[in-house]
Every structure is written in C-alpha cells, then in structure tokens.
Amino acid sequence: MDRINPERTPIIKVENLVKKFGSFVADDNLTFNVYPGEIFGFLGANGAGKTTAIRMICGLLEPTSGRLEVAGYDGYHEREKIKRNIGYMSQKFSLYEDLTIYENIRLFAGIYGISRKVRLEKTDEMLKKLQLEESRNKLVGGLPLGWKQKLAFSLAIFHHPKVVFLDEPSGGVDPLTRRTFWDLINEAAHQGITIFVTTHYMDEAEYCDRVAIMSEGKIVALDTPAALKAKYQADSMDGVFLKIARNKE
Amino acid sequence: MRTILYLLQKEFIQVFRNKGMLPIIFIMPLVQMLILVFAATMELKMIDITVVDLDLSETSTRLTAKLESSSFFHLTRAQLSPSETDKILLKGKTDVVITFPQGFESDLKRNDQASVQILIDAINGSAAELSNAYLQTVIGSYNQKVRAEMMGVPKFTPPEQVQVIPSYWYNPELNFKFYMAPGVLVILVTIIGLFLSSLNLVREKEMGTIEQLNVTPIKKYHFIIGKMMPFLIIALLDLTFGLIVAKVAFGLPFRGNILTLYVFTSLYLFLVLSIGLFVSAISDTQQQVLFVSFFFLIIFIIMSGLFTPVESMPVWAQNLDMINPIYYLIRIIRNVVLKGSGLLDMTRELIYLSIYGLLMFSLAVWRYRKTV
C-alpha cells in the first residue's frame, strides 16, 4: 500500500457522469476519484455499465453529462492531451492479427513518437519478459489467447502512460494464466502506472487497492476489499457481491 | 509526419500480405481493359437483314446483291408472308426485313418510282437509326445508278451537286477502341482505389482495431492520409499497367505528356478516395459502404460520357455532371491521350479538381470521429 498516497490530487476525477443511449441510462451519475499509483477495480455483472464508463473516460465515447478529468486534462475539450497520457486495452483483442508482434510494436511506438533506439531496447526487454523472443516475427493472429492478452497489455503500457485502462483484460483464459497476467499488472503498478481495471471475476477484485461495485449503471459500493468484506460481513469479495445483490432485491 | 510513414508501412505490409490482393491489382485491369474495350463497341457491324423478294426482277436482285456485298450486313433471302415477317422480327431472328413488292421493277419503269418496305427492330433506338442510315446510303447510291442507266444519261452525278468530304480529327479512323480505352482506364483506377480504401477503413471498424488507434493521440488527418495514400499509389500503378495493356493490345496512340496524365489522375484519386473515406467514416459496416458506393458509382459512370455523349443529355443532367468526378477525368484523359492537351489547356479542370478534392478531404477528416 506504500505506493498509494491519498493526499495527492486524483489522477481521474469523475463527477455525476451520465451516459444515456436514447431513454436507456447506461451510466447513472457516477462519482469517484482514482489516485495516482492505485489499482482501481470496476466490478459488476455484464451490462452493469463498466465498459461504457471506461470508454467515456478514455475519450472513445461522448458522455451525456457530468464532469470528467484525466491526468489534469478536461474530458471534453482536451481529449487528445488525455490520450497522450493513457494506455488502453479493450475487451475485444484489437491488435493487428495480420501483422507480426514486432510490426505491431513498431506501429504503436511510432504513433506515440517513441524513437527507434528506445523502441528497439524496450522491445527486447518486453519480449524477454514475456518469453516471446522466439515469436518476434510471428503473426499475432497465431498466438494463443493468453499470450495475446499479455502482449496487448504490454503494448498498452509501452509508452509508459500515467494511467492504463483495462477492460475485462483476462476474459476467457484459465486461472493460472490469469494469475500470471496479474503479475504483469502488479509490476506495472510498481513502476508508478495507475491501473483502472474492469472485471466480473470476484477473485480479481481481491488484487485491487479499491473497488467500485456497479449494478444497473450505478455505483453501489466503493472501498478497499478489506473494508467491504468487513462491512458486509463476508470472507470473500464473492460474498460481498452476493450480499449487495440480495439487498437490492 | 513520421506518424504517416508508420501508418503507410503498416498498410502496405497488410495489403501485400493478403494473398487475394495481387490478382485484384494485376488481373482485374487486364481483364477489364481487354473485355470492355473490345466488347463495348458502338459501331454496328453484321446487321442481320432478311430480304423478301416477291418481285424477283433484275432490279431487285441487283439491289439485294449490292446490300450483300456490304460488310455491315449479314443477309438472308427468304420467301415469307407478311405474318411470317412479323414473327421473325418478334422472335429477334433478324434485325431488319426488306420486302420488294410484286411489280417493283415494272412500277419503277412505268411510274419512275417504286416502294420498298423496310421494317427495323427498334428496341435499341440508336442502333435502329444507324441501320437505317446505312441502308439509306446503300439504296440511295443504287438509286442514282439505276436511274442513270434507265434514262441513259452519264453515270456521274450532276456537277452542281455539293459534295461533303468530312475530315475526322484526333481519331481519323474513327476507331471506337481509342474512344473507349481512356474511359475504361478511369473506371479501373476508380474501382481499385475507391473500394480498397473505403472498405479498408470500415473493416477496421468491424474488427475493432480502430479503437486501439482512436485511444492514441493520432491526428485525424494523419489517419485519413494513411488510409488514402497506399491505395492512391496502387491505383496509379494500375493506371500504368492499364496504359501498357492499351498500347500493346490495341495500339492506343499517346499524343500528350504522360506527366500531365499522372498529375490529373492523382488529383482525381485524391478527390474520389476522399469521397470513399467520407462514406466509410459515416458507415459502420462494409455492406453499407458497398451499397452507398455502388449507388453513386453507377450514376457517375452512366452520366460520365463513357458510353453516351454528355452533349446529348438534357441540360439539367449536363449541369449535374459538375459534381461527377468520372466525367472530368474521362474527358481529361481523352484530351491528353488523343489530342495531346497539356496542363495549361486544362487549367480550369486543374483548379476545379483541386478545390473539389480539398473540400471532400476536409469533409472526410471532419466526419471521422475518434469519439463516438
């Protein structure tokens, strides 16, 4: 917990953020702060509004109303400045499957203006860590899902953003692969990158410093996993989630 | 600027890694050039004529023989009743039926005039008119000959008659292929450039890869240029290839400056690809892009003057061609290739295409949204 300093100004400020699709309210008055260095989790069932929220914060989706600030920049008028300072990994794998691992790295490093020298150094370092040195010139489309996700994450933080947004980053892989994936996330957090992650796996919530639980577009609880467990007298996040769901009924 | 280079590198790798791409780029122009230019001819040759000679006189036989000797006609002789005549026209077994009535020769000798019935299948109006004109010419000259013989005056036409000797400029042999080939070249670069670029952009939307680009600080015009340049270059490559095919296959003359041609084609492609990218910026699926592009493409091609002269369209339609890019380039290429026109002869077109292109490019950049 030493990497988090709650005295510091929040890196993400969200106030009364609303997203409506026609008459359907996907996100209803979200208000929360995320502090630098935190691993902040958005927990909720499918359709609770997690992805909509993350896409608004990243500047992919226009909010209906509310205030939004990321890395000190306004979420309406300074989106391009925000984009310099964030990384994003979408729910659906979205690197180019018909490009090799290195060609993907070269493209995105190029877009962020990383020099050739730095790119080559970081690529070697990254592929070594992922044990993908052999696959450097293989097409991304042929990699197993677990490797694709690790690659997508590593590319999302390649330019060392202030915050990285992960939308259901470990969906569809086995628990062991998920575990090693979270090792990567922890390592990034220790390098000072703030992590904003959505998930519907309750065990993943345990890895977060603070968790916001979403239901039907609203934040129904927000605290550290330990505090939530104490409050709802449960021994796991799974228990917390079930109790909250029952209280609603 | 560096960003664009990285984007171009990515697009080129993807295009040439796709195995279906090379045939599209090289076989398509070849097939289009050869098939369209040879097949889509407006010249009438081998009109099917059925001659029903009920007179069987010397005059009617000689006129029939004269028609038979023309390369325009394919002639059959038949003895048919009027109802049978209707039937073969109806069934499309012949294009024209010529009937010499009984007493044709004797009428001619006695009354100094005689009638021949000519029935023409006029479903294709312009072809019917052309058949008629050919027939009139042949019969007319025979007419003069026959009258001269019967009256015993010298064979030659009276001296006071005015003779018209046309001189056909720029395409002296009236070679229809020279007229068609530049048009087909335009269609070729349009289809290759337009569809490759616009489908490519919307495919990234379908695959979801565009999201990964949209969360980067990439500039919108960089992105649009990155989607346009590779396909503009491929289309120019196809233009070169098409020109070589036209030269080798049917000896298309090349009177103008080749650089002029490339300047205009590049400006044109800048315009047309901008329109295509604008369409894909407002669409979500490849299907939408295809439907919208086809809708405009067909209107633009038919109104472009590729098959029918623009001058014969109604005035409102001619005015509508102001916004038809294909109309401009077909005219420009015909002028450059056949007349040898240069940049200075077409400054108006040059300015117009540039402004129109910049306008559509701005529209495409404006309409491409990184935030939806």
Side-chain angles (χ1 to χ4, degrees):
Chain A
M1 283 295 182
D2 52 338
R3 43 194 170 77
I4 306 153
N5 179 1
E7 303 298 308
R8 286 164 69 185
T9 45
I11 191 152
I12 302 173
K13 274 202 267 187
V14 175
E15 251 179 69
N16 301 319
L17 196 64
V18 176
K19 180 67 194 181
K20 288 183 191 165
F21 294 103
S23 61
F24 174 70
V25 185
D27 282 318
D28 193 0
N29 273 304
L30 305 185
T31 300
F32 61 89
N33 289 335
V34 178
Y35 296 95
E38 243 187 330
I39 300 181
F40 187 86
F42 243 41
L43 200 65
N46 292 326
K50 300 175 307 237
T51 298
T52 307
I54 210 171
R55 285 168 53 85
M56 276 195 287
I57 301 168
C58 287
L60 285 172
L61 198 63
E62 187 85 40
T64 307
S65 63
R67 279 200 46 189
L68 174 63
E69 205 182 289
V70 180
Y73 297 110
D74 181 64
Y76 290 90
H77 308 295
E78 297 174 304
R79 282 198 191 113
E80 296 310 298
K81 284 180 183 157
I82 291 178
K83 284 172 181 171
R84 292 215 157 271
N85 292 290
I86 62 169
Y88 170 74
M89 177 182 168
S90 85
Q91 201 167 7
K92 189 167 174 268
F93 180 73
S94 48
L95 297 181
Y96 293 97
E97 306 222 348
D98 53 351
L99 293 182
T100 66
I101 292 181
Y102 180 64
E103 285 162 353
N104 269 293
I105 297 173
R106 187 174 58 193
L107 171 66
F108 286 102
I111 291 173
Y112 284 106
I114 296 169
S115 73
R116 190 185 130 85
K117 187 168 161 280
V118 175
R119 179 180 78 220
L120 289 173
E121 275 170 23
K122 285 194 93 170
T123 301
D124 287 339
E125 188 189 315
M126 170 184 141
L127 292 181
K128 200 170 165 193
K129 191 164 73 193
L130 296 179
Q131 295 171 313
L132 278 172
E133 294 132 301
E134 309 275 300
S135 307
R136 186 188 177 103
N137 295 319
K138 281 199 183 128
L139 294 186
V140 165
L143 295 175
L145 183 60
W147 290 112
K148 281 185 185 170
Q149 288 173 339
K150 285 176 191 167
L151 181 69
F153 175 74
S154 306
L155 251 175
I157 58 166
F158 197 85
H159 57 292
H160 204 88
K162 288 188 178 138
V163 198
V164 65
F165 293 87
L166 313 172
D167 192 8
E168 309 249 351
S170 59
V173 296
D174 59 274
L176 190 70
T177 311
R178 247 174 42 216
R179 179 72 243 192
T180 56
F181 187 81
W182 273 85
D183 289 341
L184 287 177
I185 294 181
N186 275 315
E187 200 187 315
H190 279 281
Q191 287 166 9
I193 298 175
T194 308
I195 314 280
F196 187 112
V197 56
T198 74
T199 180
H200 60 259
Y201 293 115
M202 297 305 147
D203 58 326
E204 288 191 343
E206 308 272 0
Y207 305 135
C208 299
D209 296 313
R210 282 195 309 147
V211 178
I213 298 181
M214 280 196 80
S215 173
E216 290 168 9
K218 290 191 175 71
I219 295 180
V220 289
L222 197 175
D223 215 325
T224 61
L228 286 171
K229 279 187 274 193
K231 186 178 170 193
Y232 290 93
Q233 295 167 344
D235 26 315
S236 69
M237 284 306 290
D238 214 14
V240 172
F241 194 73
L242 284 174
K243 284 214 167 143
I244 289 175
R246 262 186 223 128
N247 284 352
K248 280 194 64 109
E249 278 165 14
Chain B
M1 205 44 221
R2 291 281 295 275
T3 315
I4 295 180
L5 294 180
Y6 283 110
L7 288 171
L8 292 186
Q9 184 180 39
K10 163 208 169 247
E11 297 295 346
F12 273 115
I13 292 174
Q14 286 180 309
V15 167
F16 289 106
R17 193 162 280 162
N18 183 343
K19 288 194 180 61
M21 223 49 204
L22 284 179
I24 292 180
I25 294 173
F26 291 105
I27 308 290
M28 209 171 101
L30 192 71
V31 172
Q32 257 190 345
M33 266 325 248
L34 294 181
I35 292 187
L36 280 183
V37 174
F38 279 111
T41 167
M42 288 281 171
E43 292 169 45
L44 274 186
K45 275 185 187 155
M46 301 311 273
I47 306 163
D48 273 314
I49 292 189
T50 306
V51 173
V52 180
D53 192 346
L54 302 175
D55 195 39
L56 290 171
S57 58
E58 195 205 339
T59 318
S60 65
T61 318
R62 271 172 61 195
L63 180 50
T64 309
K66 179 128 200 213
L67 288 170
E68 198 168 22
S69 67
S70 159
S71 67
F72 292 121
F73 306 122
H74 174 256
L75 195 131
T76 345
R77 293 181 178 81
Q79 293 296 326
L80 301 170
S81 69
S83 68
E84 284 170 317
T85 308
D86 290 353
K87 211 178 276 173
I88 57 166
L89 265 177
L90 188 67
K91 286 194 174 163
K93 286 191 176 152
T94 188
D95 304 313
V96 180
V97 179
I98 300 178
T99 309
F100 294 103
Q102 232 167 354
F104 170 74
E105 194 181 56
S106 55
D107 275 0
L108 191 67
K109 283 188 173 147
R110 202 178 317 127
N111 305 336
D112 203 19
Q113 63 176 2
S115 314
V116 185
Q117 187 195 41
I118 301 178
L119 298 173
I120 302 175
D121 175 355
I123 285 196
N124 181 344
S126 57
E129 261 174 54
L130 268 173
S131 314
N132 183 37
Y134 285 155
L135 282 169
Q136 293 295 343
T137 318
V138 176
I139 295 173
S141 77
Y142 180 72
N143 200 15
Q144 279 186 354
K145 212 168 97 187
V146 123
R147 285 164 65 99
E149 278 173 15
M150 284 191 328
M151 294 175 158
V153 287
K155 272 186 174 189
F156 297 101
T157 42
E160 66 265 26
Q161 217 167 2
V162 177
Q163 275 208 2
V164 180
I165 303 170
S167 146
Y168 298 110
W169 280 27
Y170 310 124
N171 187 0
E173 288 134 49
L174 302 182
N175 188 332
F176 199 75
K177 294 185 192 80
F178 295 169
Y179 183 72
M180 279 305 286
V184 174
L185 276 175
V186 175
I187 304 301
L188 187 78
V189 296
T190 308
I191 290 180
I192 290 275
L194 180 71
F195 284 117
L196 287 186
S197 64
S198 58
L199 289 180
N200 182 297
L201 195 162
V202 85
R203 204 176 111 85
E204 290 224 25
K205 285 191 186 177
E206 285 183 344
M207 301 287 287
T209 46
I210 204 162
E211 292 243 300
Q212 203 63 56
L213 289 176
N214 285 346
V215 287
T216 69
I218 189 171
K219 293 201 169 55
K220 293 206 297 180
Y221 73 93
H222 282 173
F223 178 78
I224 295 291
I225 291 174
K227 282 286 171 220
M228 174 187 292
M229 287 304 288
F231 306 105
L232 196 149
I233 292 169
I234 289 173
L236 286 179
L237 200 75
D238 259 353
L239 173 73
T240 314
F241 189 59
L243 278 172
I244 294 171
V245 173
K247 185 92 204 162
V248 174
F250 28 83
L252 180 74
F254 205 97
R255 305 206 172 90
N257 185 336
I258 192 131
L259 208 65
T260 311
L261 192 70
Y262 279 89
V263 168
F264 273 113
T265 310
S266 307
L267 275 177
Y268 167 82
L269 285 168
F270 175 66
L271 163 61
V272 167
L273 299 204
S274 294
I275 298 176
L277 290 170
F278 170 70
V279 171
S280 32
I282 57 176
S283 306
D284 294 317
T285 62
Q286 301 194 48
Q287 208 175 29
Q288 282 176 329
V289 170
L290 275 174
F291 274 121
V292 176
S293 305
F294 260 111
F295 174 76
F296 283 107
L297 201 59
I298 288 186
I299 294 180
F300 282 165
I301 290 179
I302 288 181
M303 291 184 67
S304 69
L306 174 62
F307 300 110
T308 51
V310 173
E311 291 73 18
S312 47
M313 297 196 307
V315 176
W316 62 263
Q318 292 189 35
N319 290 338
L320 213 61
D321 257 339
M322 283 279 290
I323 58 161
N324 183 354
I326 300 180
Y327 158 73
Y328 284 95
L329 194 66
I330 288 188
R331 219 180 48 181
I332 290 167
I333 295 197
R334 278 178 186 155
N335 283 352
V336 174
V337 172
L338 298 176
K339 284 189 182 171
S341 308
L343 278 177
L344 290 178
D345 300 314
M346 295 181 285
T347 37
R348 217 172 61 98
E349 283 83 353
L350 193 72
I351 293 167
Y352 187 84
L353 278 180
S354 313
I355 292 175
Y356 193 5
L358 275 174
L359 188 79
M360 288 316 294
F361 178 75
S362 316
L363 216 55
V365 172
W366 172 71
R367 235 2 226 111
Y368 160 57
R369 297 280 150 90
K370 289 176 76 179
T371 307
V372 289

